[in-house]
Amino acid sequence: MPLPEGINTKQLRHTAAQIDDLLDAVPLDYAVTVPASGWTESAPYTATVSVPGMTADAVITDAVPDITGLSGTALADALAAAASWTTVEPGTNTLIFSADAKPAADIKLIVRAKGGD
């Protein structure tokens, strides 16, 4: 099959596998809410959140509070809730959060992951 007009083989620098590897290196942001009602009843406290497209081999590079549109007490409450979890692990279409103490409020986060889609 001939190449499209104006394209020559010198312009084709990456294989499909290399392009996939490059795309996996680009982090994706996921808006996640961990509901207060979603935590297990006893320690160790865990909550599993559905995140379509997440893969078990994704690398979580950041998780920050989603404070969009918040101020004053609502902002302080959101930051306190976001600080209550201790670890997050990727799974197939999920994120699994852990906490030392059971969070009493919903936690809204922006989770950044590489290789999760």
Side-chain angles (χ1 to χ4, degrees), residues 37-92:
S37 63
W39 294 91
T40 56
E41 289 300 319
S42 58
Y45 300 102
T46 61
T48 301
V49 179
S50 175
V51 183
M54 183 62 61
T55 62
D57 63 345
V59 176
I60 306 300
T61 61
D62 203 5
V64 296
D66 182 356
I67 57 171
T68 306
L70 300 179
S71 62
T73 303
L75 175 60
D77 290 347
L79 292 173
S84 64
W85 62 277
T86 54
T87 63
V88 60
E89 296 294 327
T92 302

Side-chain angles (χ1 to χ4, degrees), residues 17-28 55 57-59 113-117:
Q18 289 171 321
I19 291 170
D20 285 344
D21 288 344
L22 289 170
L23 291 174
D24 282 345
V26 175
L28 299 173
T55 62
D57 63 345
V59 176
K114 290 183 180 180
D117 191 53

